[in-house]
């Protein structure tokens, strides 16, 4: 079981920036997906960004060009840099991991049943 601990959530004005961090226990399986999901009030959880074992990234359309997912293997930390924040970005953000899905190559889809979830960190964007 991978341990995931998110931090960095806060309340900001629209147009502001935040960086979320996810400290995780050592990953022993090479083909591991990591990512960020969010849940807005009254809505289903949605995949925001994922990073594949080879470093390729995936983003939901609504955050493309504004959010950047990255990881630091030396410090076992996953990040989500969020710029130009909008009120619709408000929600609880969760760090996730899972074994990658093999479809000819290793993939980390945004819409997939990720196995390990952190407790979440609240992001509130006011207009």
């Amino acid at each position: 079981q991978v341990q995931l601990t998110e931090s960095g959530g806060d309340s900001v004005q629209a147009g502001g920036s935040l960086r979320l961090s996810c400290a995780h226990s050592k990953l022993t399986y090479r083909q591991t997906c990591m990512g960020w999901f969010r849940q807005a009030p009254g809505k289903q959880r949605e995949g925001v960004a994922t990073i594949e074992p080879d470093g390729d990234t995936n983003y939901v359309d609504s955050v493309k060009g504004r959010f950047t997912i990255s990881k630091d293997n030396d410090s076992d930390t996953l990040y989500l840099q969020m710029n130009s924040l909008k009120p619709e970005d408000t929600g609880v953000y969760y760090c996730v991991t899972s074994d990658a899905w093999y479809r000819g190559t290793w993939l980390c889809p945004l819409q997939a049943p990720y196995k390990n979830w952190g407790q979440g960190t609240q992001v509130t964007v006011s207009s």
Side-chain angles (χ1 to χ4, degrees):
Q1 183 80 12
V2 178
Q3 303 297 315
L4 304 168
T5 305
E6 303 98 334
S7 61
D10 206 343
S11 297
V12 297
Q13 296 280 335
S17 298
L18 284 173
R19 187 175 81 157
L20 304 183
S21 299
C22 173
H24 59 84
S25 52
K26 186 65 70 176
L27 301 175
T28 57
Y29 181 57
R30 188 163 172 258
Q31 307 301 344
T32 297
C33 291
M34 301 201 72
W36 292 93
F37 276 59
R38 68 185 177 190
Q39 186 164 22
K43 294 188 177 180
Q44 289 189 329
R45 285 180 183 177
E46 68 169 347
V48 175
T50 64
I51 187 164
E52 295 175 349
D54 63 0
D56 285 351
T57 56
N58 305 288
Y59 297 94
V60 68
D61 286 347
S62 61
V63 308
K64 284 179 180 176
R66 300 188 297 122
F67 290 12
T68 303
I69 187 172
S70 62
K71 61 183 178 178
D72 184 332
N73 293 328
D74 290 336
S75 64
D76 294 328
T77 306
L78 180 73
Y79 298 101
L80 185 68
Q81 178 66 42
M82 306 187 295
N83 298 327
S84 302
L85 282 161
K86 303 176 181 180
E88 51 264 43
D89 295 319
T90 294
V92 179
Y93 283 69
Y94 299 91
C95 177
V96 300
T97 71
S98 192
D99 294 350
W101 288 265
Y102 190 74
R103 298 289 184 270
T105 186
W106 295 104
L107 300 175
C108 301
L110 290 168
Q111 296 177 350
Y114 283 78
K115 186 167 56 176
N116 303 305
W117 292 72
Q119 301 243 345
T121 186
Q122 177 70 44
V123 172
T124 303
V125 185
S126 57
S127 56

